[in-house]
Amino acid sequence: MKTIFEKTGLDEEKDNRIYEMASEILNRGGLVAFPTETVYGLGGNALDGEAAAKIYAAKGRPSDNPLIIHIADIDALKVLCSEIPPLAYSLAEHFWPGPLTMIMKKTEIVPHATTGGLDTVAVRMPNNRTALELIRRSGVYVAAPSANLSGRPSPTKAEHVRQDMDGRIDMIIDGGNGDIGIESTIIDLTDKVPVILRPGYITKEMLEAVIGPVDIDKAVALGKQSDAPPKAPGMKYRHYAPRGEMVIVEGKDPDCVTEKINRLAAQKKKEGMKTGILATDETEPFYKADYVISVGTRGSELSISSHLFDVLRQFDDLGVQYIVSEGFSRENVGYAIMNRLLKAAGGKIINTDESEE
Ligand code: TXA
Ligand code: MG
């Protein structure tokens, strides 16, 4: 398949043509990758079971992993969800368009192919102009997982999507880089107390300020692979993972952390591995490895979240076999950042306060 590449935001007439072409593709059951404020999505018609099947095939993803449906209009909730608790409207009012996905009971119209066989559906209104225009103009509810090959870090740039999806889908729309960079917060509204199934930019505290008490799913809270069955089926697969082996080092004393990271990198280099260190602007000068890459500044959570997946992909491109990453505070967005890092590292974390080999 030949994949069409187009860039929005250059001139209006061209944008119109791009949206027309993309609408036509979506309406005939094809696939279009598009930007959102979190990561790029791989979109297809959510009400077309065959389009959903194509999405799974393009990603190489197991088809029991349900898709998020992207909407541009709050009225779509009534079409897609059969039980809408009042707090869903409060959340929508506060956080949509934005990086929050809500799970509710689905209506008949939503095929099980889109929901991975579940009777619930995940819905989100993205805060990105290209995404909203695409949904509005096509008149399609757009089912979209992150536009990466299954198991690879989510794409935050059109170039990442090209690497993974060229030749596998009909079209890629380049609308720039997402400013958040990690996937939406997922909240399940089907229980008495809402449960966070995946942490993101919208934190527990932000949600509680609007709707009161919110739980965090047990498997997510533990931060490591656990025996608790995952509520969001997607959380059970190895995710966000660079090809190299990865470990996180954290601790109270920054000097101890730096020393430990340098020591690990040196040791693996001696074993003949190509090494990489995921650093921050503040610490970058103190490291030594084949590649030291700063993910952003410790002064801004967004600078870290927006570059995280790109840095993991850079290590892949450089052929790095062993990556050591600094840890981050678990406060606010840091909670979601550490969730993604831990997944990338397969749960491997060393705390310099505890361990001394
Ligand atoms: O920010 C985002 O959410 C991005 C952009 C493209 O919108 N999308 C995204 O999709 O991250 P994906 O497919 O990579 O992750 C969707 C997650 C999976 O973990 C999946 O299991 C969960 O949402 N999910 C979807 N529908 C669900 C449902 N009905 N019940 C429980 N979990 C669900
Ligand atoms: Mg994904």
Side-chain angles (χ1 to χ4, degrees), residues 251-261 283 287 326 352:
K252 281 199 199 77
D253 181 351
D255 291 338
C256 285
V257 171
T258 310
E259 197 197 306
K260 178 77 186 171
I261 289 178
T283 54
Y287 288 123
E326 292 182 358
T352 54

mmCIF file with all atom_site columns, all heavy atoms in Angstrom, residues 251-261 283 287 326 352:
data_model
loop_
_atom_site.group_PDB
_atom_site.id
_atom_site.type_symbol
_atom_site.label_atom_id
_atom_site.label_alt_id
_atom_site.label_comp_id
_atom_site.label_asym_id
_atom_site.label_entity_id
_atom_site.label_seq_id
_atom_site.pdbx_PDB_ins_code
_atom_site.Cartn_x
_atom_site.Cartn_y
_atom_site.Cartn_z
_atom_site.occupancy
_atom_site.B_iso_or_equiv
_atom_site.pdbx_formal_charge
_atom_site.auth_seq_id
_atom_site.auth_comp_id
_atom_site.auth_asym_id
_atom_site.auth_atom_id
_atom_site.pdbx_PDB_model_num
ATOM 1   N N   . GLY A 1 251 ? 16.929 7.953  43.808 1.00 0.00 ? 251 GLY A N   1
ATOM 2   C CA  . GLY A 1 251 ? 17.425 8.030  45.172 1.00 0.00 ? 251 GLY A CA  1
ATOM 3   C C   . GLY A 1 251 ? 17.411 9.467  45.656 1.00 0.00 ? 251 GLY A C   1
ATOM 4   O O   . GLY A 1 251 ? 17.270 10.393 44.855 1.00 0.00 ? 251 GLY A O   1
ATOM 5   N N   . LYS A 1 252 ? 17.534 9.638  46.974 1.00 0.00 ? 252 LYS A N   1
ATOM 6   C CA  . LYS A 1 252 ? 17.433 10.992 47.550 1.00 0.00 ? 252 LYS A CA  1
ATOM 7   C C   . LYS A 1 252 ? 18.640 11.855 47.191 1.00 0.00 ? 252 LYS A C   1
ATOM 8   O O   . LYS A 1 252 ? 18.505 13.040 46.944 1.00 0.00 ? 252 LYS A O   1
ATOM 9   C CB  . LYS A 1 252 ? 17.317 10.878 49.078 1.00 0.00 ? 252 LYS A CB  1
ATOM 10  C CG  . LYS A 1 252 ? 15.920 10.515 49.544 1.00 0.00 ? 252 LYS A CG  1
ATOM 11  C CD  . LYS A 1 252 ? 15.732 10.864 51.017 1.00 0.00 ? 252 LYS A CD  1
ATOM 12  C CE  . LYS A 1 252 ? 14.559 10.105 51.612 1.00 0.00 ? 252 LYS A CE  1
ATOM 13  N NZ  . LYS A 1 252 ? 14.874 8.680  51.899 1.00 0.00 ? 252 LYS A NZ  1
ATOM 14  N N   . ASP A 1 253 ? 19.803 11.224 47.176 1.00 0.00 ? 253 ASP A N   1
ATOM 15  C CA  . ASP A 1 253 ? 21.033 11.991 46.958 1.00 0.00 ? 253 ASP A CA  1
ATOM 16  C C   . ASP A 1 253 ? 21.409 11.990 45.470 1.00 0.00 ? 253 ASP A C   1
ATOM 17  O O   . ASP A 1 253 ? 21.813 10.961 44.929 1.00 0.00 ? 253 ASP A O   1
ATOM 18  C CB  . ASP A 1 253 ? 22.148 11.372 47.808 1.00 0.00 ? 253 ASP A CB  1
ATOM 19  C CG  . ASP A 1 253 ? 23.456 12.131 47.659 1.00 0.00 ? 253 ASP A CG  1
ATOM 20  O OD1 . ASP A 1 253 ? 23.538 13.018 46.764 1.00 0.00 ? 253 ASP A OD1 1
ATOM 21  O OD2 . ASP A 1 253 ? 24.390 11.842 48.427 1.00 0.00 ? 253 ASP A OD2 1
ATOM 22  N N   . PRO A 1 254 ? 21.284 13.139 44.813 1.00 0.00 ? 254 PRO A N   1
ATOM 23  C CA  . PRO A 1 254 ? 21.549 13.201 43.362 1.00 0.00 ? 254 PRO A CA  1
ATOM 24  C C   . PRO A 1 254 ? 22.964 12.728 43.002 1.00 0.00 ? 254 PRO A C   1
ATOM 25  O O   . PRO A 1 254 ? 23.164 12.130 41.949 1.00 0.00 ? 254 PRO A O   1
ATOM 26  C CB  . PRO A 1 254 ? 21.379 14.682 43.017 1.00 0.00 ? 254 PRO A CB  1
ATOM 27  C CG  . PRO A 1 254 ? 20.717 15.304 44.182 1.00 0.00 ? 254 PRO A CG  1
ATOM 28  C CD  . PRO A 1 254 ? 20.916 14.434 45.369 1.00 0.00 ? 254 PRO A CD  1
ATOM 29  N N   . ASP A 1 255 ? 23.939 12.987 43.879 1.00 0.00 ? 255 ASP A N   1
ATOM 30  C CA  . ASP A 1 255 ? 25.312 12.561 43.573 1.00 0.00 ? 255 ASP A CA  1
ATOM 31  C C   . ASP A 1 255 ? 25.424 11.038 43.540 1.00 0.00 ? 255 ASP A C   1
ATOM 32  O O   . ASP A 1 255 ? 26.115 10.476 42.694 1.00 0.00 ? 255 ASP A O   1
ATOM 33  C CB  . ASP A 1 255 ? 26.296 13.123 44.608 1.00 0.00 ? 255 ASP A CB  1
ATOM 34  C CG  . ASP A 1 255 ? 26.437 14.637 44.468 1.00 0.00 ? 255 ASP A CG  1
ATOM 35  O OD1 . ASP A 1 255 ? 26.135 15.139 43.364 1.00 0.00 ? 255 ASP A OD1 1
ATOM 36  O OD2 . ASP A 1 255 ? 26.816 15.294 45.453 1.00 0.00 ? 255 ASP A OD2 1
ATOM 37  N N   . CYS A 1 256 ? 24.740 10.389 44.489 1.00 0.00 ? 256 CYS A N   1
ATOM 38  C CA  . CYS A 1 256 ? 24.747 8.914  44.515 1.00 0.00 ? 256 CYS A CA  1
ATOM 39  C C   . CYS A 1 256 ? 24.109 8.362  43.245 1.00 0.00 ? 256 CYS A C   1
ATOM 40  O O   . CYS A 1 256 ? 24.576 7.386  42.668 1.00 0.00 ? 256 CYS A O   1
ATOM 41  C CB  . CYS A 1 256 ? 23.959 8.381  45.714 1.00 0.00 ? 256 CYS A CB  1
ATOM 42  S SG  . CYS A 1 256 ? 24.807 8.541  47.257 1.00 0.00 ? 256 CYS A SG  1
ATOM 43  N N   . VAL A 1 257 ? 23.017 9.003  42.814 1.00 0.00 ? 257 VAL A N   1
ATOM 44  C CA  . VAL A 1 257 ? 22.307 8.545  41.610 1.00 0.00 ? 257 VAL A CA  1
ATOM 45  C C   . VAL A 1 257 ? 23.232 8.671  40.396 1.00 0.00 ? 257 VAL A C   1
ATOM 46  O O   . VAL A 1 257 ? 23.391 7.729  39.620 1.00 0.00 ? 257 VAL A O   1
ATOM 47  C CB  . VAL A 1 257 ? 20.998 9.347  41.402 1.00 0.00 ? 257 VAL A CB  1
ATOM 48  C CG1 . VAL A 1 257 ? 20.380 9.034  40.048 1.00 0.00 ? 257 VAL A CG1 1
ATOM 49  C CG2 . VAL A 1 257 ? 20.008 9.038  42.524 1.00 0.00 ? 257 VAL A CG2 1
ATOM 50  N N   . THR A 1 258 ? 23.853 9.829  40.253 1.00 0.00 ? 258 THR A N   1
ATOM 51  C CA  . THR A 1 258 ? 24.760 10.051 39.121 1.00 0.00 ? 258 THR A CA  1
ATOM 52  C C   . THR A 1 258 ? 25.873 9.009  39.109 1.00 0.00 ? 258 THR A C   1
ATOM 53  O O   . THR A 1 258 ? 26.189 8.419  38.074 1.00 0.00 ? 258 THR A O   1
ATOM 54  C CB  . THR A 1 258 ? 25.400 11.462 39.218 1.00 0.00 ? 258 THR A CB  1
ATOM 55  O OG1 . THR A 1 258 ? 24.369 12.402 39.428 1.00 0.00 ? 258 THR A OG1 1
ATOM 56  C CG2 . THR A 1 258 ? 26.158 11.806 37.952 1.00 0.00 ? 258 THR A CG2 1
ATOM 57  N N   . GLU A 1 259 ? 26.441 8.784  40.297 1.00 0.00 ? 259 GLU A N   1
ATOM 58  C CA  . GLU A 1 259 ? 27.562 7.849  40.392 1.00 0.00 ? 259 GLU A CA  1
ATOM 59  C C   . GLU A 1 259 ? 27.121 6.443  40.004 1.00 0.00 ? 259 GLU A C   1
ATOM 60  O O   . GLU A 1 259 ? 27.796 5.742  39.249 1.00 0.00 ? 259 GLU A O   1
ATOM 61  C CB  . GLU A 1 259 ? 28.098 7.879  41.821 1.00 0.00 ? 259 GLU A CB  1
ATOM 62  C CG  . GLU A 1 259 ? 29.476 7.281  41.957 1.00 0.00 ? 259 GLU A CG  1
ATOM 63  C CD  . GLU A 1 259 ? 29.796 6.958  43.412 1.00 0.00 ? 259 GLU A CD  1
ATOM 64  O OE1 . GLU A 1 259 ? 29.675 7.874  44.258 1.00 0.00 ? 259 GLU A OE1 1
ATOM 65  O OE2 . GLU A 1 259 ? 30.123 5.787  43.691 1.00 0.00 ? 259 GLU A OE2 1
ATOM 66  N N   . LYS A 1 260 ? 25.961 6.046  40.533 1.00 0.00 ? 260 LYS A N   1
ATOM 67  C CA  . LYS A 1 260 ? 25.453 4.700  40.249 1.00 0.00 ? 260 LYS A CA  1
ATOM 68  C C   . LYS A 1 260 ? 25.184 4.527  38.745 1.00 0.00 ? 260 LYS A C   1
ATOM 69  O O   . LYS A 1 260 ? 25.501 3.500  38.149 1.00 0.00 ? 260 LYS A O   1
ATOM 70  C CB  . LYS A 1 260 ? 24.155 4.467  41.048 1.00 0.00 ? 260 LYS A CB  1
ATOM 71  C CG  . LYS A 1 260 ? 23.496 3.129  40.799 1.00 0.00 ? 260 LYS A CG  1
ATOM 72  C CD  . LYS A 1 260 ? 24.214 2.027  41.540 1.00 0.00 ? 260 LYS A CD  1
ATOM 73  C CE  . LYS A 1 260 ? 23.658 0.652  41.196 1.00 0.00 ? 260 LYS A CE  1
ATOM 74  N NZ  . LYS A 1 260 ? 24.470 -0.429 41.725 1.00 0.00 ? 260 LYS A NZ  1
ATOM 75  N N   . ILE A 1 261 ? 24.575 5.550  38.139 1.00 0.00 ? 261 ILE A N   1
ATOM 76  C CA  . ILE A 1 261 ? 24.250 5.476  36.711 1.00 0.00 ? 261 ILE A CA  1
ATOM 77  C C   . ILE A 1 261 ? 25.531 5.353  35.884 1.00 0.00 ? 261 ILE A C   1
ATOM 78  O O   . ILE A 1 261 ? 25.646 4.507  34.996 1.00 0.00 ? 261 ILE A O   1
ATOM 79  C CB  . ILE A 1 261 ? 23.417 6.716  36.280 1.00 0.00 ? 261 ILE A CB  1
ATOM 80  C CG1 . ILE A 1 261 ? 22.005 6.614  36.872 1.00 0.00 ? 261 ILE A CG1 1
ATOM 81  C CG2 . ILE A 1 261 ? 23.359 6.833  34.747 1.00 0.00 ? 261 ILE A CG2 1
ATOM 82  C CD1 . ILE A 1 261 ? 21.084 7.783  36.566 1.00 0.00 ? 261 ILE A CD1 1
ATOM 83  N N   . THR A 1 283 ? 21.520 17.507 34.640 1.00 0.00 ? 283 THR A N   1
ATOM 84  C CA  . THR A 1 283 ? 22.498 16.474 35.013 1.00 0.00 ? 283 THR A CA  1
ATOM 85  C C   . THR A 1 283 ? 23.361 15.996 33.843 1.00 0.00 ? 283 THR A C   1
ATOM 86  O O   . THR A 1 283 ? 24.374 15.330 34.060 1.00 0.00 ? 283 THR A O   1
ATOM 87  C CB  . THR A 1 283 ? 21.767 15.245 35.579 1.00 0.00 ? 283 THR A CB  1
ATOM 88  O OG1 . THR A 1 283 ? 20.790 14.814 34.624 1.00 0.00 ? 283 THR A OG1 1
ATOM 89  C CG2 . THR A 1 283 ? 21.085 15.557 36.898 1.00 0.00 ? 283 THR A CG2 1
ATOM 90  N N   . TYR A 1 287 ? 27.439 12.969 33.086 1.00 0.00 ? 287 TYR A N   1
ATOM 91  C CA  . TYR A 1 287 ? 27.380 11.557 32.704 1.00 0.00 ? 287 TYR A CA  1
ATOM 92  C C   . TYR A 1 287 ? 28.387 11.189 31.638 1.00 0.00 ? 287 TYR A C   1
ATOM 93  O O   . TYR A 1 287 ? 28.803 12.011 30.832 1.00 0.00 ? 287 TYR A O   1
ATOM 94  C CB  . TYR A 1 287 ? 25.980 11.214 32.188 1.00 0.00 ? 287 TYR A CB  1
ATOM 95  C CG  . TYR A 1 287 ? 24.948 11.162 33.286 1.00 0.00 ? 287 TYR A CG  1
ATOM 96  C CD1 . TYR A 1 287 ? 23.816 11.966 33.231 1.00 0.00 ? 287 TYR A CD1 1
ATOM 97  C CD2 . TYR A 1 287 ? 25.108 10.304 34.367 1.00 0.00 ? 287 TYR A CD2 1
ATOM 98  C CE1 . TYR A 1 287 ? 22.863 11.918 34.229 1.00 0.00 ? 287 TYR A CE1 1
ATOM 99  C CE2 . TYR A 1 287 ? 24.160 10.260 35.376 1.00 0.00 ? 287 TYR A CE2 1
ATOM 100 C CZ  . TYR A 1 287 ? 23.046 11.065 35.301 1.00 0.00 ? 287 TYR A CZ  1
ATOM 101 O OH  . TYR A 1 287 ? 22.109 11.013 36.276 1.00 0.00 ? 287 TYR A OH  1
ATOM 102 N N   . GLU A 1 326 ? 17.440 8.242  34.677 1.00 0.00 ? 326 GLU A N   1
ATOM 103 C CA  . GLU A 1 326 ? 17.166 8.830  35.984 1.00 0.00 ? 326 GLU A CA  1
ATOM 104 C C   . GLU A 1 326 ? 15.702 8.615  36.326 1.00 0.00 ? 326 GLU A C   1
ATOM 105 O O   . GLU A 1 326 ? 14.874 8.486  35.430 1.00 0.00 ? 326 GLU A O   1
ATOM 106 C CB  . GLU A 1 326 ? 17.409 10.349 35.925 1.00 0.00 ? 326 GLU A CB  1
ATOM 107 C CG  . GLU A 1 326 ? 18.845 10.729 35.748 1.00 0.00 ? 326 GLU A CG  1
ATOM 108 C CD  . GLU A 1 326 ? 19.019 12.249 35.752 1.00 0.00 ? 326 GLU A CD  1
ATOM 109 O OE1 . GLU A 1 326 ? 18.023 12.991 35.855 1.00 0.00 ? 326 GLU A OE1 1
ATOM 110 O OE2 . GLU A 1 326 ? 20.172 12.677 35.649 1.00 0.00 ? 326 GLU A OE2 1
ATOM 111 N N   . THR A 1 352 ? 19.045 4.027  45.165 1.00 0.00 ? 352 THR A N   1
ATOM 112 C CA  . THR A 1 352 ? 20.385 4.110  45.768 1.00 0.00 ? 352 THR A CA  1
ATOM 113 C C   . THR A 1 352 ? 20.311 4.264  47.284 1.00 0.00 ? 352 THR A C   1
ATOM 114 O O   . THR A 1 352 ? 21.300 4.075  47.973 1.00 0.00 ? 352 THR A O   1
ATOM 115 C CB  . THR A 1 352 ? 21.198 5.296  45.195 1.00 0.00 ? 352 THR A CB  1
ATOM 116 O OG1 . THR A 1 352 ? 20.422 6.476  45.354 1.00 0.00 ? 352 THR A OG1 1
ATOM 117 C CG2 . THR A 1 352 ? 21.519 5.083  43.731 1.00 0.00 ? 352 THR A CG2 1
#
